[in-house]
Amino acid sequence: MIEHELADAANAFATLDLAEPLLRGIAKAGFETPTPVQAAVLPVALQGRDLMAAAATGSGKTAAFLLPIMQRLLDEPAPRAGTRALVLVPTRELASQVLDHFHAVASYTRLTAAVIVGGEPRNHQVNALRRNPEILIATPGRLLEHLDTGEADLTDVRFIVLDEADRMLDMGLVEEVVAILNHAPGERQSLLFSATLHRRGIIELADYLLKDPVSITLDHPRTAHPHIDHQIILSDDAAHKAAQLQRLLTAAEFDRALVFANTRAGAEQAGAKLVAAGVRAVVLHGELDQRERKRVMALFRAGTVSVLVASDVAARGLDVPGTELVVNLDVPRSGDDYLHRSGRTGRAGRRGLAVSLVSAPEWNRMESIERYLGISVERAVIDGLKARFQGPPKRSKPAKKVVKKVVKKLAAKRGANAADGAADKPKLKERLRERKNIGKRRKPSAKPAAGQGVDAGFEPPKRRG
Ligand code: AMP
């Protein structure tokens, strides 16, 4: 892209008061207009306020927290400081997505980031920590291990993000999260993102993490259509899905069905298999020229074929009355895509059915979509094609109770430490970079604020409010 195009592309973001290197990075990443979440979050976060935002995967939430943090890091350069921003995420995959996102928009800045997640060699991570990355993206368990050994240090952290907080609760990561927060100074800006703010335990966690937060829930057309029933069918792999799809389309009674795949290739393959199995199906994808597209749609509208296999892009704005069944061959990338796909049925007062085939790697995404949209989804099974995968094991403890219990337990532990006197207090570990004389030296005054540091007495969760 040439220079003036870069400037044009960044225009819609320019009103948001972002520095030129960031605007260039945004344009390079191909972002032209802020998503609704970004438009709502950025101004608040740039003011330095704590916030909690309802935002699911696909909403642009990652840039919504990365950009203001990066802006503030650029505003206040601190070359001798350690890590200044911490992004806690529930899974390794999400950590690497956040890092990719960072790289996509950071290429014109000198900001650095590192990922600390479980399942990877510790010594590489120790090396990464020694380089004092400005932004640390981490899963709680492994970061806590590095904090316990003194390899990681959060005393310079001024920004904390809790991403996908609802999933953290689901995965039972609260205890680790609370313990990590106690390693960071109280003077900081904290941002919490969750697919929904209504999940049990979120408010307790927010109370603990945030100080006088702004709550952002977008007025969003995400109320699922009342005339649609939602089902999931568990699947093992692509071949299993193909068999299930074929059975669904031959056994179910419907006039017209729409099948969605996440990619053009997926749509083409599925269409070809269906046709080979004798199903009257056509494929619609973004690469078809206008004439082809018209022809395909005419066949479907007239009922000459009863199944249309489509990719999301191709199906934008599609309205075919009498579509009674929507099948998600792949779980859509976002809640909004799910809404868009399922909304092709259940129109004009008629009932519709949306069925999603869900394999193990797609489970979490489907769950966050359900939460985001607040829909109730029924599990269905196809006789003779039941999946070996039956979903992850259930976690039974209610999250709200878990948060309270964790907070209480930590309070008791810290109370006991304080009562035992200074001699029994856990010593603040010497920071690795001090031992190695790397990076900033600790100033005598650089100890954590009261109530937040590792050696400070524990105070009740609302102490920051
Ligand atoms: P996220 O919800 O953060 O996982 O982002 C979902 C996808 O949207 C990612 O592929 C981003 O690269 C993309 N994205 C984020 N912000 C924008 C934007 N303003 N314009 C276009 N795409 C975006």
Side-chain angles (χ1 to χ4, degrees):
M1 211 190 276
I2 52 173
E3 208 63 14
H4 72 270
E5 282 176 320
L6 276 175
D8 279 353
N11 262 349
F13 277 93
T15 54
L16 288 169
D17 229 4
L18 295 168
E20 214 264 330
L22 282 182
L23 290 175
R24 284 163 61 88
I26 289 167
K28 194 174 169 206
F31 303 170
E32 291 179 9
T33 340
T35 65
V37 170
Q38 290 162 2
V41 165
L42 269 140
V44 177
L46 285 167
Q47 278 171 19
R49 294 284 306 267
D50 280 11
L51 66 84
M52 52 201 286
T57 303
S59 61
K61 66 183 167 67
T62 316
F65 61 72
L66 280 180
L67 289 171
I69 288 177
M70 291 165 77
Q71 177 63 44
R72 300 207 57 209
L73 294 177
L74 292 173
D75 281 345
E76 296 156 31
R80 291 170 67 75
T83 289
R84 293 199 287 157
L86 172 66
V87 180
L88 286 175
V89 295
T91 62
R92 282 186 237 175
E93 295 72 35
L94 192 55
S96 72
Q97 275 173 39
V98 174
L99 184 70
D100 289 348
H101 230 95
F102 168 82
H103 285 142
V105 290
S107 45
Y108 298 100
T109 72
R110 285 167 178 267
L111 296 172
T112 55
V115 158
I116 300 291
V117 292
E120 284 180 4
R122 279 184 179 68
N123 51 344
H124 290 185
Q125 297 182 344
V126 169
N127 289 338
L129 288 167
R130 282 184 200 174
R131 287 194 286 272
N132 289 334
E134 269 131 336
I135 302 179
L136 203 56
I137 304 155
T139 50
R142 180 59 67 86
L143 176 61
L144 201 55
E145 288 173 28
H146 286 298
L147 283 165
D148 285 345
T149 56
E151 310 290 4
D153 172 69
L154 302 181
T155 48
D156 288 334
V157 162
R158 295 291 174 270
F159 306 97
I160 290 191
V161 178
L162 212 59
D163 192 14
E164 302 208 348
D166 51 337
R167 211 193 289 178
M168 299 243 193
L169 286 165
D170 283 349
M171 293 172 68
L173 297 172
V174 178
E175 188 157 356
E176 279 111 331
V177 168
V178 169
I180 289 170
L181 295 178
N182 282 317
H183 280 265
E187 272 314 305
R188 62 172 195 241
Q189 182 182 8
S190 309
L191 315 173
L192 178 148
F193 287 79
S194 175
T196 168
L197 299 180
H198 300 301
R199 192 199 183 290
R200 281 177 165 214
I202 288 288
I203 295 303
E204 286 73 15
L205 197 55
D207 267 358
Y208 190 70
L209 171 74
L210 309 172
K211 187 176 173 183
D212 187 21
V214 175
S215 176
I216 293 176
T217 313
L218 294 175
D219 194 15
H220 202 264
R222 64 184 174 89
T223 339
H225 209 291
H227 295 120
I228 304 172
D229 296 316
H230 303 268
Q231 286 186 351
I232 59 168
I233 295 177
L234 298 178
S235 303
D236 289 323
D237 51 35
H240 191 207
K241 281 190 175 191
Q244 288 175 319
L245 176 66
Q246 190 185 319
R247 178 78 73 78
L248 257 176
L249 295 177
T250 43
E253 282 189 16
F254 58 87
D255 280 344
R256 287 185 190 82
L258 257 168
V259 177
F260 283 97
N262 284 6
T263 60
R264 180 176 65 107
E268 277 179 337
Q269 266 172 25
K273 277 189 187 146
L274 288 173
V275 171
V279 177
R280 288 177 300 138
V282 277
V283 177
L284 184 74
H285 59 70
E287 308 263 305
L288 295 185
D289 65 30
Q290 199 51 29
R291 225 171 44 131
E292 276 297 295
R293 193 182 155 91
K294 271 192 175 156
R295 192 185 66 84
V296 164
M297 286 311 298
L299 289 171
F300 188 53
R301 284 214 165 86
T304 317
V305 297
S306 52
V307 177
L308 179 69
V309 188
S311 61
D312 290 293
V313 180
R316 289 276 163 221
L318 209 70
D319 185 11
V320 184
T323 302
E324 291 158 333
L325 174 67
V326 166
V327 183
N328 291 319
L329 183 59
D330 306 308
V331 173
R333 294 193 182 89
S334 71
D336 292 338
D337 281 343
Y338 182 94
L339 204 62
H340 177 262
R341 291 178 179 188
S342 57
R344 302 305 99 202
T345 181
R347 298 196 151 210
R350 296 172 68 169
R351 282 213 82 72
L353 175 64
V355 181
S356 303
L357 305 183
V358 182
S359 63
E362 296 173 307
W363 175 269
N364 282 336
R365 196 159 75 235
M366 187 66 215
E367 248 194 1
S368 44
I369 289 174
E370 286 172 44
R371 273 202 298 268
Y372 176 60
L373 298 177
I375 49 176
S376 86
V377 175
E378 182 198 349
R379 264 207 218 181
V381 175
I382 301 177
D383 280 347
L385 287 174
K386 188 173 174 182
R388 290 185 305 278
F389 168 60
Q390 283 300 301
K394 284 221 171 342
R395 291 169 206 279
S396 52
K397 280 192 204 160
K400 193 170 166 177
K401 276 197 189 145
V402 173
V403 178
K404 286 199 166 149
K405 218 171 114 191
V406 167
V407 164
K408 238 170 132 179
K409 207 168 96 187
L410 279 167
K413 211 159 112 188
R414 286 174 189 282
N417 281 340
D420 286 350
D424 295 332
K425 268 191 198 171
K427 273 194 192 146
L428 244 183
K429 293 223 166 60
E430 193 187 13
R431 295 194 292 185
L432 188 85
R433 67 166 185 269
E434 284 163 0
R435 291 207 297 270
K436 307 278 179 194
N437 197 20
I438 298 165
K440 184 188 164 195
R441 296 201 53 77
R442 186 207 299 256
K443 287 174 267 158
S445 61
K447 65 176 191 222
Q452 292 285 335
V454 278
D455 58 350
F458 182 84
E459 288 181 26
K462 281 191 181 145
R463 67 194 178 283
R464 306 189 68 229

